[in-house]
Every structure is written in C-alpha cells, then in structure tokens.
C-alpha cells in the first residue's frame, strides 16, 4: 500500500486529516508548521505531537521531499539541482545567488507542450504535470541544501514547463508557499509566475487573488513575428493577451514583467523595440531582455552586445523600465531555456 505524502497538502487539508484520525485540528496545524515552517521531514522528530497520533499518521501517510540526484555548481555561483521523481523522470531547479538575494527557479511540468522554437525544453514535448508535492518539494529541498542561516528568498516559476497549464497544482503550491502562518511563509511579492501567455489561465490566476507577480514571455511585438517563435500565439494573439493583461489586478506599485528573448536578426531591431514600447503603452510594465542562450541544434544566435544595448535604450527612452538579464548557469545547462533533464541525464 502506498502511503500518502503530507508534503503538498494545504495546511487546511492537514487539519482535516488530523480530524479524520480522531485528533484535534490543532494537530494538523502542528504538522504543517513542522514540515513547511521548520523544514522537518521526520514524524519521529515532531516532538510536540502525541506518540499515538504520530503512529496513526505514519500508518497512512509519509513525508517525501525530492532528493537532488546531483547538484551542479556553475562558475557564476548558481547551482542546478537535478531531481529524480518517483516515476524516474527528472526535473531541475536552479539556485541563483545575487547580492542579498537567493532566487530559486522551479519547474512545474516534466517537459513542456508549447514548442517555443528557441527553447530546449520545448523540444521534449510534455511528459506530465508535477504534483504540488513535487513543486513545493523543490523549494523545501533547496532550503535544506543551503548552509545554515541561508534561505531561498525569491521563487520564480521559470523552470521547465508552463505553470498555467498545470493550474490546480500551481495554485495549491502558491497557497502553501505564501501562507504566512502555517505554510512556507514567502511573501507573494517574492514569488513570480511566468507564462507563455495563456489568456484563460491569466484571468483565472487574477481571480485567485494570490498577489504573486506575473511575468509574460512576449518575445515579439507583432502577431506575425510572435507566431513564428511561439505557436501558442495562434490560440491567444497579442490583442487578446494584452487585453487580459490590462485587466489583470495589480497591487499598488506592482508591475507586470515581460520577458523578451533577444534573437540575432529575428526580433532585435530598433523598429521592433519601438513596436514593443507601443504595445506596452499605459501598462505598468517592466521588461527583462534575455539574450538568447545557446543549445546544440538551435537555429538562433545571441545578438552582438551593441544591438542588445541599442534595443534596451529604445525602451528606456520610451520610459519603460528595462533590464538585460544575463542568464546564470549557462555553462551547466541551467540557463533560461536550457533545461532538458529527462533527455540528457
Ligand atoms: N513556460 C513559462 C515558464 C518558463 S520561463 C514561460 O515561457 O514563461 C523561461 C523563460 O526563458 C521564458 O521567458 C522563455 O521564453 C525563456 N527562454 C527559453 N529558451 C531560452 C533561450 N534559449 N535563451 C533565453 N531565454 C530562453
């Protein structure tokens, strides 16, 4: 008989479980606190729980956090954590230290079904969705791996997969990660969900009122150009996408992030930058330009530095906050769009 994993359960579900076992709901809150807040994954170590409750719990449930199969350090200080999941498939997370931040990039699916032409994960196709336990588990495992006193400070849903295509598991994970009392306790403002632009998913996420940041992978400013890079644009074109984003509920001072991968000779001209500025007019936006990260067999190249900077200045001149994101972990295949664990490992 396989025992159910307590990781990935909402604190309220852990309360229900305690009640179902004939204990008070308070016992469920204690379990949530041990797992999510204290990072303790051993029932035996949960010393303030009555022994008979622990024993009853252990009969039907377990606490399983994915162990990294390997940890690959990069020259730039980032680390790729490769996890083997219960069914043998692999996903990775990337830990990226930066000044006083420690950002973790997490995966939401094994593979991805959206086939963006410049993304290596897209080559794999979609294998399956991750469970809340596997998503939250990446954060718990990363925190356990860090030296005492260190902790993941920011979480970005920018690893393998499309978060909004695994909506239920995403929302459960976000609730657990951002629950300040019984969950892992990350401020939603330190969590960013990135999407290819699934309009119904964006609308649904807005209604969940989670207050996390939204990032949109744009990569082109016209339908014609975007369609060629991102087939998803045929289902949700720029007009539909931008309309949904203009309606998206933002907190005061919160902005929508736009990712724009710069591809040499494809979407990197000053005219394209001007169209992008036009498209974003009146929206509280921040643009992250990502110079293309190479992978074997890719048909694209990174533009030369002057073109990258020229593209950025057009946006800056238009009054749009724009940064160039030099990806981390390129040497270990951990940079944006380079994750393909189940094939390469
Ligand atoms: N599916 C979501 C989450 C992945 S985020 C999304 O697309 O937003 C990963 C980011 O890296 C996306 O913006 C993606 O377009 C970008 N990316 C993919 N391949 C890349 C590459 N080879 N070089 C640079 N950025 C890339």
């Amino acid at each position: 008989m396989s025992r159910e994993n307590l990781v990935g359960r909402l604190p309220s579900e852990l309360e229900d479980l305690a009640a179902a076992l004939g204990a008070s709901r308070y016992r469920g809150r204690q379990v949530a606190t041990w797992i999510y807040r204290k990072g303790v994954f051993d029932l035996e170590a949960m010393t303030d729980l009555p022994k008979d409750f622990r024993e009853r719990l252990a009969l039907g449930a377990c606490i399983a956090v994915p162990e990294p199969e390997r940890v690959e350090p990069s020259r730039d200080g980032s680390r790729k954590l490769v996890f083997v999941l219960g069914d043998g498939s692999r996903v990775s997370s990337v830990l990226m230290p930066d000044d006083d931040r420690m950002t973790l990039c997490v995966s939401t699916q094994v593979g991805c079904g959206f086939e963006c032409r410049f993304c290596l994960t897209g080559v794999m196709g979609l294998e399956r969705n991750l469970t809340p336990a596997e998503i939250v588990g990446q954060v718990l495992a990363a925190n356990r791996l860090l030296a005492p006193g260190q902790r993941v400070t920011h979480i970005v849903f920018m690893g393998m997969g499309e978060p909004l295509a695994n909506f239920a598991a995403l929302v459960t994970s976000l609730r657990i990660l951002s629950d300040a009392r019984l969950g892992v306790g990350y401020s939603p403002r330190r969590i960013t969900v990135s999407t290819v632009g699934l309009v119904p998913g964006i609308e649904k996420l807005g209604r969940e009122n989670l207050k996390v940041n939204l990032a949109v992978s744009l990569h082109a400013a016209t339908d014609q150009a975007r369609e060629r890079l991102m087939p998803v644009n045929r289902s949700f074109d720029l007009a539909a996408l931008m309309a949904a984003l203009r309606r998206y509920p933002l907190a005061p001072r919160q902005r929508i992030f736009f990712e724009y991968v710069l591809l040499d000779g494809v979407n990197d001209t000053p005219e394209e930058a001007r169209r992008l500025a036009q498209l974003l007019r009146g929206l509280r936006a921040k643009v992250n330009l990502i110079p293309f990260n190479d992978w074997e067999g890719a048909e694209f190249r990174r533009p030369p530095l002057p073109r990258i900077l020229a593209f950025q200045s057009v946006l800056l001149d238009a009054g749009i906050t724009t940064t160039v994101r030099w990806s981390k972990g390129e040497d270990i295949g951990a940079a944006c769009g380079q994750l393909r664990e189940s094939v390469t490992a």
Side-chain angles (χ1 to χ4, degrees):
M1 183 186 83
S2 84
R3 288 176 302 166
E4 292 197 48
N5 196 355
L6 298 179
V7 178
R9 301 299 190 82
L10 292 164
S12 62
E13 292 174 326
L14 295 173
E15 289 179 321
D16 293 344
L17 183 66
L21 291 175
S24 75
R25 301 181 67 79
Y26 171 66
R27 298 298 176 206
R29 292 198 285 280
Q30 284 178 299
V31 173
T33 308
W34 278 110
I35 297 175
Y36 297 134
R37 294 210 66 86
K38 302 183 192 165
V40 169
F41 309 133
D42 176 9
L43 280 173
E44 293 293 299
M46 301 183 180
T47 45
D48 56 2
L49 292 176
K51 195 161 186 299
D52 67 312
F53 174 70
R54 273 186 272 154
E55 282 167 0
R56 262 177 295 148
L57 200 53
L59 286 178
C62 64
I63 301 174
V65 170
E67 277 284 337
E69 176 192 40
R70 51 178 210 276
V71 177
E72 293 181 41
S74 158
R75 279 193 298 273
D76 61 24
S78 65
R79 278 181 277 178
K80 181 163 80 171
L81 282 50
V82 181
F83 297 100
V84 195
L85 306 175
D87 63 353
S89 50
R90 288 176 172 80
V91 291
S92 40
S93 312
V94 186
L95 264 173
M96 299 169 287
D98 210 352
D99 296 329
D100 50 357
R101 285 186 180 205
M102 179 64 79
T103 302
L104 184 71
C105 177
V106 298
S107 297
T108 53
Q109 298 182 313
V110 182
C112 185
F114 289 91
E115 300 186 310
C116 299
R117 299 277 173 258
F118 46 83
C119 179
L120 181 57
T121 308
V123 171
M124 292 175 65
L126 176 64
E127 289 181 17
R128 72 168 172 89
N129 281 332
L130 296 188
T131 63
E134 289 164 339
I135 298 173
V136 173
Q138 294 170 62
V139 179
L140 299 177
N143 274 326
R144 180 162 58 174
L145 191 87
L146 290 170
Q150 272 194 326
R151 193 169 183 261
V152 170
T153 62
H154 293 74
I155 302 166
V156 296
F157 284 73
M158 298 186 183
M160 290 167 73
E162 166 54 37
L164 295 183
N166 183 11
F167 193 81
L170 170 74
V171 168
T172 300
S173 305
L174 293 173
R175 291 204 185 287
I176 294 169
L177 292 171
S178 64
D179 184 327
R181 200 167 61 98
L182 299 170
V184 195
Y186 285 98
S187 156
R189 301 297 294 267
R190 290 168 173 243
I191 301 176
T192 300
V193 173
S194 182
T195 178
V196 290
L198 301 183
V199 169
I202 291 170
E203 288 169 340
K204 262 169 39 186
L205 188 68
R207 287 196 291 272
E208 294 287 337
N209 197 25
L210 288 157
K211 307 216 157 54
V212 296
N213 299 303
L214 180 66
V216 177
S217 292
L218 206 55
H219 309 321
T222 62
D223 282 317
Q224 205 191 15
R226 194 165 189 264
E227 240 173 63
R228 258 185 272 136
L229 297 173
M230 305 178 73
V232 69
N233 196 76
R234 291 193 200 111
S235 310
F236 307 106
D237 65 12
L238 282 171
L241 176 58
M242 297 313 293
L245 296 176
R246 286 179 195 282
R247 290 192 299 264
Y248 193 79
L250 290 175
R253 285 194 302 280
Q254 194 173 27
R255 288 184 288 189
I256 295 178
F257 301 119
F258 290 91
E259 290 148 291
Y260 193 104
V261 56
L262 284 169
L263 307 167
D264 189 26
V266 176
N267 64 355
D268 62 342
T269 61
E271 297 80 73
E272 197 72 6
R274 277 191 281 277
R275 278 187 216 113
L276 178 58
Q278 184 66 35
L279 193 67
L280 300 181
R281 260 205 12 215
L283 206 81
R284 263 143 59 200
K286 177 174 188 258
V287 174
N288 286 313
L289 301 173
I290 320 172
F292 176 67
N293 295 308
D294 204 5
W295 40 273
E296 210 187 302
E299 51 178 311
F300 301 102
R301 279 195 323 269
R302 174 180 294 190
L305 185 61
R307 269 180 100 78
I308 297 173
L309 298 179
F311 196 95
Q312 181 186 25
S313 24
V314 171
L315 294 169
L316 291 174
D317 289 346
I320 299 169
T321 310
T322 308
T323 58
V324 180
R325 187 200 292 162
W326 297 101
S327 291
K328 292 189 171 274
E330 237 191 306
D331 55 333
I332 54 168
C336 307
Q338 289 184 328
L339 299 177
R340 190 182 61 168
E341 296 330 317
S342 51
V343 179
T344 53

